[in-house]
Every structure is written in structure tokens, then in C-alpha cells.
Amino acid sequence: MSTTQLLAPNVTAQHWADPSHPDDRPFIRRYIFSTDHKTIGNQFMFMSLFFLLVGGALAMMIRWQLGWPGQPMPGGGVLPETMAPGGILLPEFYNSLVTMHGTFMIFFAIMPLLVGMFGNWLIPLHVGASDMAFPRLNMMSFWSAVPAGFIMLASFVVEGGAAGAGWTAYPPLSAVPEYSGVSTGQQLWCVSLIILGFSSLMGAVNYITTIVNMRAPGMTWMRMPLPIWSLFITAILILLAIPILAGAAIMLLFDQTIGTTFFLPEAGGQPLLWQHLFWYFGHPEVYILILPAMGVASEVIANGSRKPIFGYPAMVGAIVAIAFLGWIVWGHHMFQSGMNPLLGSSFMLSTMIIAVPSAIKVFNWLGTIWRGDIHFHTPMLNALAFVGMFVIGGLSGVFMASTPVDIYIHDTYFIVAHLHYVLFGGSLFAIFAGIYFWFPKFFGRMLSPTLGKIHFALTFVFYNLVFFPMHNLGLGGMMRRIYDPNQYGFLEPLQPMNTFVSVFALALGVSQLVFFFNILWSLWRGEKAPENPWRSNSLEWSLASPPPHGNFEAMPAVYRGPYEYSYPGRGEDFWLQGEPPDGGAVHAPTGGAPVGEGVPQ
Amino acid sequence: MPEPASTFGAGIDSIYYIILWITGAIFVLVETALIVFIIRYRHREGRVAAYSHGNKKAEIVWTVIPFILVLFIVYASNDIWLEVKRADQGGAAPADALPLRVVAKQFEWNVTYPGPDGELDTADDFVKRNQLHVPIGRAVRIDLGSEDVIHSFFLPDFRVKQDAVPGMTIPVWFEATRTGEFPLACAELCGLGHYRMRASLTVHEAADFDLWQSQEIAASGSPTGASEIDTERANEAEISEGEESA
């Protein structure tokens, strides 16, 4: 790869009307209704972490009930009679718990962390822009996500409680209050997701426009950091998938409120139509939840290994391939739904093929750390855990992609284990890696490495003790979303394993407090962050921490790809993308040994 | 997994074990490589990372091998899948199958038996709630339906799972290979009583099944048009519906 040639600029100078300057906006414009992408990224972080806590608390209650069925939950006495009389969780409240745990984690924690937070933090800085293409739209995107979240949260206190038909909201259960016992809550669920859909769409058009139009001179497509590639493809997925969810949610809301029967068979509606629409959105959504995590992990792994990413073009190609294939696999959620079995065969084929680009990514991450010089900073530990856990989540996916095996494991805890290996072991570990990595850049303070490593170790161990045994629970036949497995004789022998899982789930929940404490403590007391604490290459690391309003003083120029680590003959083992080839001081090698073996292959 | 009790159970399990071996081998390989690399290439004073952007040959190898493996898994799986679903017969159960109708509703399974004439929708049909009885060694054809929401008909020991969708009648079939009593569970969230929407499946010797059937008919008096399903919610008392809004 040429590292010196400055390719034709695709951005002209008139885009640079807004050089960085001191921020003199009043408090409210600066911190609350801000149009600065960095502030909006921070806001998405705080909002999503709040909902991560909410979703986590709901998970703790679920695990309490499964670990000690029918026992009064410690502290459960504060819940109203309609949820937990005497601290004993009611079955209808349990259904709301599983529904809202999934809903909050997917739509209000993982998705806004990956897309809202990383997208806002990274896109303008990584491409060398002063802000997003549409800063006000960006502000509106955040400020419509907030009410959506609080509408969802408020549904717990309306009459009938929160939605209880699962995060997938299959009608007729979700459409008819007499069936679920929930009316207003189920409607608020639709309303909230429709509003959140607008938020996501405003973000997506912004990301796409910014990446296409606002790259600094020299920032060619194949010099973009991988988080930007993954966020670009993710934004396209969002733009195409979210309207389908919003449309389906509007149809469901009409079925609930004004007497339409899109999904109700009495008047010719079709319950399976919802499943097709939901999963036609829902499977791209799965990749919306993992592609940015892959991008972030790639960035951190190259940095921690002090090595260029292995096979950059293949990594980009794999992102595109996964995103494309993601559109033609939705039927694998419906193998047992009554869909034509021959359709099942074709969906099995397309689903299995997704394993190929996923495998390419895993092997290329391995190739990146191979012959590296691995620094185990906190972001790197989390990124390595991401790879290890994503492998398990990916491989367990092969089981349910196989239609005959899926007959048995569909709707069991095997699925629960799989999806948590992907969404927690995959997405969340990458989110941790990214927050440890970029927090210093956006808050000007380092997160405590000691607390970071304690948090990582506890999370990694407890996480596996919680979710690995769930594979066995599923193979034992335990269904998802059941309030009390002991209703079934054949599930009674699994109770000790359920209790084991619950013990470590509570421990996993408590150990996340280390992370939240680290953030709050470091915001005020953390060590001041230098410009480039991780000796990394992309454009933001040549700016102050935090970067000033408007980011760059002058239009940055980009001279090389983002992963020029350990370039032979340079003194330092990193090479900023914006450092001119002749302007950078070339020091004597500090590593001692001459760089001999590191020639490009 | 419980020991299979249906004719196709062992076939389904064999695919499971094939996938377990393949993914298990990849799991061990990849995680070992990850750990070995992490230890071998950890930072020490003087260590310099190799400067390499990749290796086309290696990347082609690890693209092609997974591709071949998944195609093999698809091929092997599809054989069993089409057999279980009897795709070559258009999904129809074997001709001599015992016809049953199972209609799910919150939160019970209503089974219609054909009676001595072996045909549904005749005068000698009779209905049992939450009790599925079948003879061993004879295929059973179930017309699966639902009255209200989506349920899922799950016989873990038989490797049978099929959603019951209101407005649709979905064919299910299996042939029992062991006698005994087995659980029938609902696997799709169907409301607040979902967790206890259970029933039992009893597999009889052929002669015992006929005996059971005649006893049932005798006990229920005249076998009048019982094919219309008893809509009374017998387990209503158990259901705490305090939260249902009108």
C-alpha cells in the first residue's frame, strides 16, 4: 500500500467554513441542546448506559425468579402489588420483564451505544470533518431517542403494566389485550419504537452523507478506519430496515387501537405476516448490532497488536458481504412457524453462507495479533475477549441454522445462550473496549486502568459462567420465557444449574458497578488524558483531548491508511494518518533491534 | 438431550453431533490459536511487531474451507429436514397414519381422537384435554391449529416442534418408538399461563391403545359429536387474571 501518495482530494475547501474555535455557547446550547457531534456522542453514551442499567436490573429479576422460583425477591417488597406482591414476582410481570429486558437492551442500550455513541464520536473525526453533515438533525436524533426511551420506561407504571408479548411482539398475543392482559403497555411499546425509528433514520442519513461527502483530502475509501466502514454499512442497513419495523409497528398499533386486522385471522389477517416483516427488519438489525462492534474491535486489536490490520480489503469485503447476506436470511427465525419447509431449506443455505465472511473476520483478527507486539491495555483485553466470545456465538449459530437441529433447540435456552454470546460476548465487550479506548479523547480524562482490569476480569469470568451453561439448559429442553420451569417434571433436574446461572448472573450484574463507578470517578478524578494515549493513528489522536468545538484548526490531509503500525525504519511504532511524509521527524529506532523481519509479505 | 423416542429422532441427533464435531474442532483450533498468540506475542522489551498487511493465500484458504464445511452441513441437514417434513409427499403423513387434531388455546391442548372408525369429523370422535395418547409403531398425523394466539407444540423426546398458528392448520407427524409417558410443552410465549401450558403424551402398545380408546368412549357415555371443542376454560380458576383490562 502506498503510504506517501496524496490522492486527489474529494472535498473542496469551501466545506471548511468552520475551523475549530473556543466554545462560547451558553450552557444549554453547549451541553443539552448541542449540535456538536462530540457532545451528542457523550449524550448517547449517558442515555444508553442508563438504559443498560435498566435492562440489567430487569435481567437480575428474571434470574432471581429462575434461580429461586416463587421465593420472595430481596428488595422486591418495594414493587407494587401488581408486579410482585410480597416480593414474589407474578407470571404476568415476569412476561413484562423478559419483554422489556430484550427491548431495552437491543433498542435503547446496545444499538444507541454502537450507532449513536460511536457513530457520533468517530465519524466526523475519523474522516476529518468539523462536524456531521446535518448537525441540527443530529441533535434532533438524540432528542427523539430520549422521549422514546422514557415512553418505554413509563409503560411499567400504566394500568396493565408493560408490554408482555416478548421483544418480538408476535400477534395475536401482542395485538389483543384479552390475550396478553396488557393493553396500554403494548401500545406504548409500538409508539416508543416508532419514535425511536425516526431517531435512527435521522442518524443514518447523517452518517451516510457525512462519510460520502465530508472526507478530508486523501481520506480515500480504502484509507477509512474500519469503524467508519462498519458504521457506513450499518447506516445503510438502518436506512433500509427501520422503515419496515416502523411500518409493522404502525400496523400493529392499528390492530390494537382502531380495529384493523392486519395480523388477526378472524377477519382474514395473517399472524405470520408480522413475523416476516419483523424479521425482515430484525435480521439486518442483528448485524446493525454486531458490525460496528466488529469495526471497533478491529481498530483496538490493530492498535493493541502494534500491527496493520490483517487483510484490510477482505475485512471491508466481509462487512459488505455480511450486510448483504443479512437481507436474505430472516426466514431462519421462522423454521418452525408453519412456513413452507422448502423455504426453510433455502434460508438454511443463505444463513450458513454468512458463516464464511464471519470466519474471514475472525481469522483476520488472529492474523493481526500473529507476530504482533501485544499490549494488554484495558481496551485490548476487551477486544480480545470480543474475538473469543464472538467465535462461540458464531459457532453456536451453526446449530440453529441447521433446520433439523433447530426443531429441537428453537425457542429453548440454547437460543438464549447463542444470542447472548453474540450480543453480550460480542457487542458489549466491543462496546467496553471502545469506551475504554475513546473515553480519554472525549472527556479529557483516562479511565482507571486498575478498575478497568478488575471490571474486565470479573465480567469475563462471570459472563461465561452465566451464559455457557445456558447451552446445556437448552439442550435439556428448557424453553425460553417460562416463569417456572419446575412446572415440567423433565425440567426439574435442571434447577441446580438454573440456580448456578442465577448466582453468577447476580455477580455479573454487581461487577458492572465497577465500570459505572470507574466512569463517574474518572470524569472528575481521572488522570488527565494526553493527545494520543494509545499511540494510535487515526485523525482524532492529533487533536487535544477533548478536541475543540469544530475539531480541526485547518482542513486535515490524509497521507496513509489508518493501520500503519510498526512501519519498518521508523522510530515510533505508529504513524498518524495526518502526518506529512517528510514533515514527521524520523527518530533513531528506540526499540533497539533493527527492523528486519517485518517486511511486507 | 433426552433419548429420542421417534423414528426420525436419531437422524436429527446425528446432524447435531456432526455439527458438534465440526464446530467443536474449529472452536478448539481458533481459541487455542488465540491464546497461543496472546502469550507468544505479548509485549516485551525490544519486541517489534511484524509489518504485514496480510497474506492473500492464507485468506483464500480460510475462505474456501469454511465454505466447503457449511455446504456439507447444509447438504446433510437438508436430507433429514426433507425427510422429517416429508417434502417429497407434499408434507402428507404416511397413508396409514392415525389422524388426530390438536387445537391449542390459552393454556391447554385439546386433542380430538377419531374413535373406532379411524376418521376425524365423524360421530364417534372424542376429545381429551391435555392428554395425547398414541400407539407405538404407527405414524400419527396431527392437524395442528390454534384458537387464539400462537402456541408451539413441543415434544422434546420426539424432536418435534411446530408452532400452532391461529387461522392455519399445520400438519405434524411422528412415529413413536418407545412406550411410556412423555411431556408435551408449549414453546412459544402465549400469555401469562404459558409456563404451565403442559400436557402429557402417552405411548401405548397397539393393543393397549385400542383398549384405552374403548374405555374412554365407555366412560364418556355415548360418543356424540364431541368434535366441537369444549370451550369452557377448565383451568380458569388457576389463572390470576386480575390485570386484564377490559
Side-chain angles (χ1 to χ4, degrees):
Chain A
M1 180 181 295
S2 162
T3 56
T4 53
Q5 183 193 5
L6 180 59
L7 293 176
N10 59 353
V11 186
T12 47
Q14 60 264 28
H15 285 105
W16 209 257
D18 190 23
S20 66
H21 55 272
D23 197 347
D24 52 1
R25 295 164 301 167
F27 180 86
I28 251 189
R29 296 287 299 167
R30 187 167 174 180
Y31 292 110
I32 299 176
F33 295 106
S34 173
T35 54
D36 187 319
H37 71 96
K38 301 182 288 296
T39 309
I40 295 172
N42 297 348
Q43 288 174 323
F44 265 115
M45 183 186 92
F46 288 118
M47 181 199 83
S48 316
L49 289 180
F50 169 74
F51 287 118
L52 189 70
L53 268 179
V54 172
L58 301 179
M60 297 299 103
M61 290 192 248
I62 293 171
R63 279 324 309 183
W64 176 266
Q65 170 61 26
L66 292 176
W68 299 275
Q71 300 291 313
M73 186 173 66
V78 302
L79 295 172
E81 290 281 299
T82 52
M83 295 177 183
I88 299 170
L89 301 175
L90 290 174
E92 54 267 46
F93 182 55
Y94 182 86
N95 287 349
S96 293
L97 286 177
V98 292
T99 303
M100 300 307 269
H101 166 70
T103 304
F104 276 121
M105 285 303 198
I106 287 169
F107 292 108
F108 293 98
I110 307 288
M111 194 172 165
L113 279 170
L114 285 172
V115 182
M117 178 182 75
F118 287 130
N120 274 293
W121 274 0
L122 302 182
I123 289 174
L125 285 169
H126 270 184
V127 304
S130 57
D131 205 320
M132 286 285 182
F134 311 115
R136 282 189 183 78
L137 200 64
N138 203 20
M139 176 174 79
M140 207 163 131
S141 165
F142 174 74
W143 282 109
S144 47
V146 172
F150 281 95
I151 288 171
M152 196 61 91
L153 201 56
S155 68
F156 273 108
V157 295
V158 299
E159 196 184 338
W167 83 275
T168 52
Y170 282 7
L173 183 65
S174 59
V176 182
E178 286 71 28
Y179 292 150
S180 64
V182 180
S183 56
T184 317
Q186 207 71 50
Q187 294 164 13
L188 290 179
W189 185 89
C190 291
V191 170
S192 167
L193 288 191
I194 293 164
I195 298 174
L196 186 73
F198 283 109
S199 164
S200 301
L201 288 178
M202 287 186 270
V205 293
N206 230 333
Y207 296 176
I208 294 171
T209 313
T210 307
I211 293 170
V212 171
N213 284 333
M214 296 177 69
R215 281 171 292 127
M219 179 57 81
T220 59
W221 287 100
M222 295 312 265
R223 283 180 182 174
M224 290 204 306
L226 287 171
I228 303 308
W229 260 113
S230 65
L231 285 162
F232 178 63
I233 300 297
T234 300
I236 295 173
L237 290 182
I238 289 176
L239 195 63
L240 298 174
I242 291 285
I244 298 160
L245 172 71
I250 290 169
M251 289 158 82
L252 182 58
L253 187 62
F254 284 174
D255 275 10
Q256 290 164 346
T257 53
I258 63 170
T260 59
T261 55
F262 291 111
F263 308 121
L264 299 175
E266 296 85 55
Q270 173 51 273
L272 290 191
L273 174 62
W274 167 267
Q275 295 185 25
H276 281 293
L277 291 173
F278 185 85
W279 290 117
Y280 192 62
F281 144 80
H283 209 80
E285 169 73 12
V286 170
Y287 296 112
I288 291 168
L289 298 171
I290 197 69
L291 290 177
M294 290 171 160
V296 166
S298 301
E299 186 77 14
V300 173
I301 285 171
N303 174 281
S305 309
R306 318 305 300 162
K307 241 188 106 203
I309 202 85
F310 197 96
Y312 177 96
M315 291 300 248
V316 173
I319 292 172
V320 176
I322 290 172
F324 176 76
L325 289 169
W327 289 103
I328 51 170
V329 298
W330 80 92
H332 68 219
H333 297 271
M334 301 171 60
F335 285 154
Q336 321 309 336
S337 69
M339 185 175 74
N340 188 319
L342 295 176
L343 265 178
S345 298
S346 60
F347 278 118
M348 166 164 65
L349 178 65
S350 54
T351 302
M352 290 278 191
I353 289 174
I354 284 203
V356 176
S358 310
I360 292 172
K361 295 203 77 88
V362 168
F363 289 128
N364 281 358
W365 286 318
L366 287 179
T368 304
I369 65 170
W370 177 61
R371 299 203 296 156
D373 173 25
I374 305 172
H375 288 63
F376 297 104
H377 46 54
T378 324
M380 184 63 172
L381 291 173
N382 282 283
L384 290 171
F386 163 87
V387 176
M389 298 302 100
F390 177 74
V391 168
I392 299 177
L395 291 174
S396 66
V398 175
F399 288 84
M400 60 210 64
S402 163
T403 43
V405 179
D406 186 66
I407 293 174
Y408 182 70
I409 60 181
H410 178 70
D411 267 328
T412 68
Y413 261 71
F414 196 93
I415 309 289
V416 179
H418 162 75
L419 74 91
H420 284 93
Y421 263 91
V422 180
L423 287 181
F424 191 139
S427 307
L428 203 52
F429 272 109
I431 287 168
F432 288 145
I435 290 181
Y436 285 115
F437 198 71
W438 279 292
F439 183 93
K441 180 50 66 188
F442 294 97
F443 294 98
R445 305 264 182 179
M446 304 297 290
L447 285 167
S448 154
T450 314
L451 287 177
K453 279 169 186 163
I454 292 172
H455 168 242
F456 168 74
L458 294 177
T459 306
F460 186 75
V461 171
F462 292 147
Y463 161 79
N464 279 294
L465 291 174
V466 171
F467 293 109
F468 204 84
M470 285 189 186
H471 292 109
N472 301 62
L473 291 173
L475 292 174
M478 182 173 155
M479 294 80 75
R480 299 171 70 172
R481 297 164 171 170
I482 48 171
Y483 168 72
D484 180 6
N486 295 330
Q487 289 283 323
Y488 291 91
F490 76 105
L491 296 179
E492 276 174 30
L494 298 176
Q495 186 55 48
M497 197 183 280
N498 265 314
T499 310
F500 175 92
V501 166
S502 289
V503 168
F504 289 106
L506 295 174
L508 179 64
V510 171
S511 52
Q512 298 318 302
L513 299 179
V514 179
F515 175 69
F516 287 95
F517 174 78
N518 194 357
I519 286 188
L520 291 179
W521 187 83
S522 302
L523 273 177
W524 284 278
R525 297 293 173 80
E527 194 190 323
K528 283 250 192 290
E531 270 182 17
N532 193 357
W534 315 110
R535 298 180 297 133
S536 196
N537 291 348
S538 47
L539 292 173
E540 77 273 28
W541 301 111
S542 52
L543 301 173
S545 303
H549 189 48
N551 298 342
F552 300 94
E553 278 171 34
M555 167 105 62
V558 177
Y559 299 94
R560 59 192 65 81
Y563 302 115
E564 293 300 309
Y565 290 105
S566 302
Y567 189 80
R570 275 178 60 80
E572 288 151 330
D573 62 358
F574 67 105
W575 203 353
L576 286 164
Q577 282 189 282
E579 183 180 316
D582 45 358
V586 179
H587 308 288
T590 50
V595 189
E597 59 168 1
V599 290
Q601 292 174 5
Chain B
M1 289 190 288
E3 193 194 327
S6 63
T7 46
F8 47 64
I12 289 175
D13 288 7
S14 70
I15 295 291
Y16 168 80
Y17 287 110
I18 289 173
I19 297 175
L20 186 64
W21 278 108
I22 293 175
T23 55
I26 296 171
F27 168 76
V28 171
L29 212 75
V30 171
E31 303 286 0
T32 309
L34 184 62
I35 292 165
V36 167
F37 292 173
I38 286 173
I39 296 170
R40 169 76 179 76
Y41 300 111
R42 69 189 184 278
H43 173 69
R44 275 159 303 163
E45 204 51 49
R47 183 162 182 87
V48 177
Y51 179 79
S52 156
H53 282 281
N55 182 325
K56 284 251 159 57
K57 228 180 273 175
E59 290 183 64
I60 290 170
V61 169
W62 64 52
T63 305
V64 170
I65 291 177
F67 194 71
I68 293 170
L69 284 177
V70 297
L71 285 187
F72 168 71
I73 294 173
V74 169
Y75 176 76
S77 299
N78 202 39
D79 260 9
I80 304 280
W81 171 250
L82 296 181
E83 183 199 325
V84 172
K85 295 290 172 186
R86 294 182 60 85
D88 55 338
Q89 311 294 323
D96 64 335
L98 171 73
L100 299 176
R101 178 178 298 126
V102 173
V103 177
K105 70 173 189 179
Q106 288 180 327
F107 300 97
E108 62 193 46
W109 302 96
N110 289 295
V111 186
T112 307
Y113 293 87
D117 69 352
E119 283 188 39
L120 285 170
D121 301 318
T122 52
D124 63 347
D125 290 2
F126 64 99
V127 179
K128 297 291 292 178
R129 178 182 299 124
N130 290 335
Q131 286 183 47
L132 187 54
H133 291 258
V134 301
I136 191 172
R138 180 179 172 196
V140 178
R141 185 197 89 209
I142 294 172
D143 296 330
L144 184 63
S146 167
E147 277 184 35
D148 39 36
V149 301
I150 298 176
H151 303 272
S152 191
F153 179 84
F154 181 28
L155 295 169
D157 304 86
F158 292 73
R159 311 294 186 263
V160 168
K161 189 180 285 141
Q162 175 61 58
D163 287 1
V165 182
M168 290 174 79
T169 301
I170 301 170
V172 179
W173 79 280
F174 63 89
E175 185 180 324
T177 56
R178 281 195 288 144
T179 57
E181 205 175 310
F182 303 94
L184 160 59
C186 180
E188 182 70 61
L189 178 62
C190 63
L192 66 88
H194 163 58
Y195 69 101
R196 52 179 167 71
M197 184 166 164
R198 65 183 183 281
S200 68
L201 163 61
T202 312
V203 180
H204 300 275
E205 296 291 351
D208 293 346
F209 177 78
D210 294 337
L211 186 66
W212 170 83
Q213 179 165 275
S214 50
Q215 280 169 349
E216 284 299 324
I217 292 168
S220 64
S222 61
T224 50
S227 58
E228 66 174 291
I229 281 156
D230 180 6
T231 50
E232 177 209 351
R233 299 174 76 166
N235 53 357
E236 200 151 22
E238 288 180 49
I239 303 168
S240 47
E241 283 181 323
E243 274 316 293
E244 224 169 77
S245 33

